[in-house]
């Protein structure tokens, strides 16, 4: 088997998608290994989950950097390079990226977004899907580019929107699909990367 691609996951909160990636990558034949978890938020619950799974996990708090996003991103980038990371997976990472970090990881950074892109970019996707009266909703894994939630989609999963759905009920239905889709998309992406 070819070398497993060294992958980092960037989180800001509970990290359930990160957990699904770690679980999938625990299989020895999975084409990526999770070597690092970073959070911009020191209180992210996912940091303890990652550490418990034996994955190096650390916070690089954005707050001391104030408005200097580039300086915060430079530190993130340094941590990724130090760990010889090849692929970056954003998983509930709630910071907008500047062209600097996106450019450093062009073609090597994925994100999971809880909508059927290009519909409902940005926040509050489940509320907006219900308000719009769509029959289906879902999640997308896409390559990260400079524009928010606009890079090439590599995988999607659909769920029905049911009568009487609340945003929470719909989010839970989508999340089940996210946990299945992201590992599958990462595996395919890792196999497709040039050596
Ligand atoms: C997920 O719904 C993800 O798609 C969105 O934020 C949520 C993060 O959840 N970007 P978790 O931290 O992975 O549990």
């Amino acid at each position: 088997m070819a070398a497993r691609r060294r992958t980092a996951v960037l989180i800001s909160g509970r990290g359930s998608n990160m957990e699904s990636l770690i679980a999938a990558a625990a299989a020895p034949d999975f084409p990526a290994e999770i070597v690092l978890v970073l959070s911009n938020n020191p209180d992210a619950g996912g940091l303890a989950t990652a550490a418990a799974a034996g994955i190096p996990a650390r916070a690089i708090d954005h707050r001391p950097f104030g408005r200097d996003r580039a300086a915060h991103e430079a530190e993130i980038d340094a941590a990724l390079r130090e760990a010889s990371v090849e692929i970056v997976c954003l998983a509930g990472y709630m910071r907008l990226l500047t062209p600097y970090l996106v450019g450093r990881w062009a073609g090597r950074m994925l994100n999971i977004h809880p909508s059927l892109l290009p519909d409902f970019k940005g926040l509050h996707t489940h509320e907006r899907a219900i308000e719009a009266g769509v029959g289906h909703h879902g999640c997308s894994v896409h390559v990260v580019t400079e524009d928010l939630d606009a890079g090439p989609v590599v995988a999607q999963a659909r769920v029905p929107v049911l009568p009487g759905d609340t945003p929470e009920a719909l989010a839970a239905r989508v999340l089940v699909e996210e946990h299945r889709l992201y590992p599958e998309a990462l595996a395919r992406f890792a196999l497709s990367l040039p050596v």
Side-chain angles (χ1 to χ4, degrees):
M1 190 179 88
R4 305 171 73 204
R5 297 313 188 118
R6 294 177 65 81
T7 301
V9 187
L10 268 54
I11 63 170
S12 296
R14 74 187 157 181
S16 70
N17 277 289
M18 170 210 76
E19 212 175 337
S20 74
L21 293 172
I22 290 173
D29 60 346
F30 193 82
E33 61 176 322
I34 310 302
V35 297
L36 180 65
V37 169
L38 294 177
S39 172
N40 65 301
N41 169 16
D43 300 325
L47 285 172
T49 313
I55 312 283
R58 79 180 249 237
I60 300 178
D61 192 345
H62 64 277
R63 288 168 299 189
F65 294 91
R67 291 187 180 186
D68 194 350
R69 282 177 184 272
H72 177 248
E73 288 186 348
E75 200 151 314
I76 298 266
D77 187 60
L80 295 171
R81 308 246 164 216
E82 199 181 308
S84 302
V85 165
E86 302 174 272
I87 298 173
V88 178
C89 288
L90 307 182
Y93 187 67
M94 301 304 286
R95 299 285 296 166
L96 293 173
L97 302 185
T98 76
Y100 162 73
L101 197 65
V102 174
R104 295 281 281 168
W105 292 92
R108 289 183 175 256
M109 185 183 269
L110 297 176
N111 180 43
I112 187 152
H113 181 75
S115 80
L116 294 172
L117 290 172
D119 292 342
F120 309 118
K121 295 174 182 171
L123 296 174
H124 310 301
T125 59
H126 310 301
E127 287 92 325
R128 287 158 59 209
I130 290 171
E131 271 165 28
V134 293
H136 285 87
H137 185 47
C139 50
S140 308
V141 175
H142 67 93
V143 178
V144 175
T145 56
E146 283 187 22
D147 295 322
L148 180 71
D149 301 329
V153 171
V154 298
Q156 278 187 325
R158 287 160 72 90
V159 302
V161 180
L162 301 178
D165 253 346
T166 60
E168 293 73 25
L170 183 55
R173 195 174 308 126
V174 170
L175 195 63
V176 171
E177 292 304 311
E178 291 185 45
H179 294 164
R180 187 185 58 73
L181 188 71
Y182 211 175
E184 183 188 301
L186 172 59
R188 257 194 290 126
F189 187 74
L191 289 171
S192 75
L193 266 197
V195 184

